[in-house]
Amino acid sequence: MGDEPAPLVELGAVTAPYGVKGWVKVRSDTQPAERLLEYRCLRLLQGGSAQVYRIEASGQSGGQLTLKFAGVSDRNQALGLSGASICVPRSELPARADRDYYRADLIGCGVVNLGGEELGTVAHFVETPAHAVMVVRGAKEYWVPAVPKHLRRVDLQARRLLVDWVDAAE
């Protein structure tokens, strides 16, 4: 059953402690970033195991989301959460609209362009001011905008993406 979706979907990561009272800075991969707050309990995944943390309070610092988890009361505890993936069960995600895809489902998909050239696989996404970009790694690395103009077809069953993208160096 290797083609079944993962039971947890990553929505961001804990980046660093914030202050001395157990707060952490987080990177949210949701749009908008504050949508992460809709989930009152988050699973923090570290070293292959996930632990549930309830959001006690939230804020912002320098445009970055900050969270205070119940039971995390000092900087050392917060530091121990640094690098943890922030996940939620797939069953808690809202239904997606047609031609909307969760990034977690696209990572690892093979990517081929309209000319039939295999570009590689989706390694991760980078958020830019204009839109998200898929980082595709193969013989070369390609940064393909994750927008309908370039993302022509998604076949989650076959784990393949068809993109309108050519190597600008050729």
Side-chain angles (χ1 to χ4, degrees):
M1 321 300 167
D3 55 352
E4 290 180 9
L8 292 178
V9 176
E10 184 176 339
L11 298 181
V14 176
T15 59
Y18 176 66
V20 296
K21 296 187 178 186
W23 285 73
V24 294
K25 290 184 179 183
V26 300
R27 181 195 82 237
S28 173
D29 296 334
T30 63
Q31 292 296 325
E34 294 78 19
R35 180 161 288 147
L36 189 66
L37 302 176
E38 292 175 8
Y39 304 94
R40 297 311 297 168
C41 289
L42 300 172
R43 275 86 175 156
L44 299 189
L45 184 63
Q46 284 183 305
S49 65
Q51 186 169 347
V52 177
Y53 286 88
R54 184 177 54 80
I55 298 174
E56 196 171 84
S58 65
Q60 286 207 349
S61 174
Q64 190 171 13
L65 198 58
T66 57
L67 298 178
K68 172 72 172 79
F69 292 116
V72 179
S73 58
D74 64 40
R75 184 174 181 84
N76 288 336
Q77 288 176 307
L79 183 61
L81 300 177
S82 292
S85 296
I86 298 172
C87 303
V88 297
R90 181 173 291 279
S91 61
E92 291 182 15
L93 294 174
R96 56 180 181 80
D98 190 36
R99 289 197 49 91
D100 278 344
Y101 302 95
Y102 290 115
R103 292 178 186 179
D105 294 337
L106 301 182
I107 292 173
C109 285
V111 180
V112 63
N113 68 14
L114 294 175
E117 180 185 1
E118 298 279 342
L119 301 181
T121 59
V122 179
H124 63 276
F125 287 81
V126 172
E127 199 61 48
T128 69
H131 46 69
V133 175
M134 295 184 298
V135 178
V136 178
R137 290 198 178 126
K140 294 182 178 180
E141 182 173 275
Y142 301 93
W143 286 43
V144 182
V147 296
K149 175 182 174 185
H150 297 292
L151 187 56
R152 293 300 183 89
R153 187 177 316 128
V154 174
D155 185 342
L156 292 177
Q157 290 293 99
R159 307 280 302 141
R160 302 213 16 109
L161 310 179
L162 178 67
V163 297
D164 185 357
W165 196 257
V166 293
D167 188 353
E170 291 180 354

